[in-house]
Amino acid sequence: MIFESHAHYDDEKFNEDREELLSSMKENGIEYIINVGASLETTRNTVELIKKYPFIYGAAGVHPSDTAELNEENFAWLKEQCNHAKIVAVGEIGLDYYWDEPDREIQKKWFRRQLEMAKETNLPIIIHSREAAKDTLDIMKEMECSKMSGVVHCFSYSKEIAREILDMGFYLGIGGVVTFQNAKAIKEVVAYAPLEKILLETDCPYLAPTPHRGKRNSSLYLPLIAEEIAKIKEIEYDEVIRVTNKNAKKLFCIE
Ligand code: NI
């Protein structure tokens, strides 16, 4: 069965049919889902979801674009959430230079602090990095991420950057972008990376794969991503599903 390693089912785009959609996951071959926090509020929502659905696990963290909301007091609250038995990762955390706000120094500060939090709570990390490859790698090295474990989600960089990430023992999260016709660099990364280091993800409700591009995404579209990976690597679809499932269970210590 399929392991969905990155979703945001607390997003308001699921308000109309969340219950129905999530109830249909098992029958559609989705075994587990990691719901990822991206702010204090969405981390709170994630804790609610993992209490309600046995097959949903969570990640607690604040996305770089939301780090301006952090202070010592609410950071202590965030860290407490990591003690929940079904919070299996810290994330998504990292750097996003696509937007000018918040200031890069603020993003870096809280990236480091949340990496420390992962170290102290012994949890793997889910990294978000957009147009910030060099600074992300520099901080990962400085913080000795090679001694930790994690995934760079929605991987969007070159093969050369992928090699550095893989050398640190991290996984690459591959989502809908790999199905886009013009996504040449990501297709190259998928061809290059060992299947044992790839996780399947949607980042839903965002980044729906072809032919649903631009529409609301959901874990039900993961087979389209797995098919594309199978095609690129010239292997069986079932092998992609089986190995990526095993990878995610190993990383998040599930089962
Ligand atoms: Ni995300």
Side-chain angles (χ1 to χ4, degrees):
M1 285 180 87
I2 297 175
F3 196 119
E4 158 74 281
S5 69
H6 196 117
H8 301 280
Y9 280 110
D10 55 299
D11 193 280
E12 61 181 18
K13 293 197 176 68
F14 295 111
N15 282 356
E16 298 225 320
D17 60 347
R18 183 176 297 107
E19 184 100 39
E20 199 188 333
L21 181 63
L22 289 174
S23 307
S24 75
M25 288 297 157
K26 278 268 144 86
E27 68 203 57
N28 284 291
I30 314 295
E31 185 180 22
Y32 288 113
I33 293 171
I34 305 290
N35 202 77
V36 181
S39 63
L40 294 166
E41 190 194 349
T42 56
T43 295
R44 195 174 296 120
N45 296 340
T46 295
V47 173
E48 291 309 310
L49 277 177
I50 62 181
K51 283 184 195 161
K52 193 167 174 193
Y53 296 95
F55 62 95
I56 302 184
Y57 286 71
V62 174
H63 184 287
S65 300
D66 276 69
T67 44
E69 70 171 343
L70 284 168
N71 57 44
E72 291 307 322
E73 197 186 340
N74 58 33
F75 186 67
W77 175 86
L78 184 67
K79 196 172 167 185
E80 268 170 43
Q81 307 317 304
C82 296
N83 296 327
H84 195 292
K86 288 183 75 193
I87 290 291
V88 293
V90 167
E92 53 189 293
I93 64 173
L95 301 172
D96 193 324
Y97 293 170
Y98 179 78
W99 307 103
D100 290 330
E101 300 284 329
D103 188 86
R104 291 178 182 187
E105 290 311 311
I106 295 175
Q107 295 191 35
K108 287 185 200 169
K109 172 188 167 179
W110 291 106
F111 184 27
R112 290 190 178 96
R113 290 293 299 275
Q114 293 185 91
L115 285 173
E116 270 166 28
M117 180 172 97
K119 242 182 236 181
E120 287 164 17
T121 54
N122 263 318
L123 289 175
I125 315 147
I126 297 171
I127 292 180
H128 168 102
S129 178
R130 190 176 184 192
E131 296 187 11
K134 185 179 182 300
D135 284 1
T136 302
L137 280 172
D138 286 350
I139 290 181
M140 286 177 77
K141 284 173 193 161
E142 168 202 321
M143 299 296 291
E144 300 188 301
C145 279
S146 57
K147 293 180 184 164
M148 306 165 73
S149 60
V151 55
V152 177
H153 112 86
C154 193
F155 188 82
S156 58
Y157 297 130
S158 65
K159 203 166 97 176
E160 288 67 36
I161 305 288
R163 183 173 50 75
E164 294 212 49
I165 298 292
L166 293 170
D167 282 349
M168 278 191 260
F170 272 57
Y171 292 83
L172 306 177
I174 302 296
V177 178
V178 76
T179 66
F180 300 170
Q181 214 172 21
N182 57 356
K184 202 172 145 241
I186 299 309
K187 290 181 202 286
E188 255 176 50
V189 166
V190 167
Y192 163 76
L195 185 60
E196 287 68 27
K197 299 308 285 187
I198 289 177
L199 300 186
L200 288 185
E201 66 164 68
T202 57
D203 202 17
C204 66
Y206 314 104
L207 296 172
T210 306
H212 308 288
R213 195 170 176 177
K215 301 204 183 107
R216 186 186 76 172
N217 198 3
S218 90
S219 308
L220 301 182
Y221 295 157
L222 281 166
L224 294 165
I225 297 164
E227 272 166 22
E228 183 65 27
I229 294 173
K231 198 175 103 190
I232 293 168
K233 295 186 94 58
E234 297 178 354
I235 55 177
E236 292 293 323
Y237 169 83
D238 288 346
E239 191 184 350
V240 175
I241 300 300
R242 182 176 54 79
V243 176
T244 54
N245 179 299
K246 200 173 147 201
N247 298 344
K249 284 177 181 168
K250 187 175 164 197
L251 176 63
F252 299 117
C253 295
I254 292 174
E255 291 180 351

